[in-house]
Amino acid sequence: MGSQKQIGENIKKIREQRGTTQEELADKVGVHVSYISRIERGVVNPSVEVLENIAKALKVKSSKILPF
């Protein structure tokens, strides 16, 4: 599995564990909900800034969403 797909799966898993919807996460990060969906599906490669904002919104260290 590619790292882009693994990042998306990690984000989705953490988001679901937190009971957060894609819409709520998108609002907190400041992106469109369709972008969160594409990240979680591994379709897009988000910037480091977006990854940091997602980690902050989910209240985890950035390393928790990275595949290594």
Side-chain angles (χ1 to χ4, degrees), residues 12-65:
K12 182 177 180 178
K13 179 181 173 184
I14 296 166
R15 178 183 59 74
E16 289 177 342
Q17 289 173 343
R18 300 279 191 274
T20 303
T21 66
Q22 286 183 339
E23 291 83 5
E24 291 167 335
L25 181 57
D27 285 343
K28 290 178 183 178
V29 175
V31 298
H32 195 273
V33 65
S34 65
Y35 189 55
I36 295 295
S37 174
R38 292 190 317 252
I39 292 170
E40 288 186 356
R41 289 182 284 129
V43 175
V44 298
N45 191 15
S47 69
V48 172
E49 181 179 358
V50 170
L51 289 176
E52 288 176 356
N53 290 339
I54 289 172
K56 286 178 188 176
L58 294 173
K59 299 181 180 170
V60 296
K61 292 182 179 182
S62 298
S63 61
K64 290 287 186 185
I65 62 176

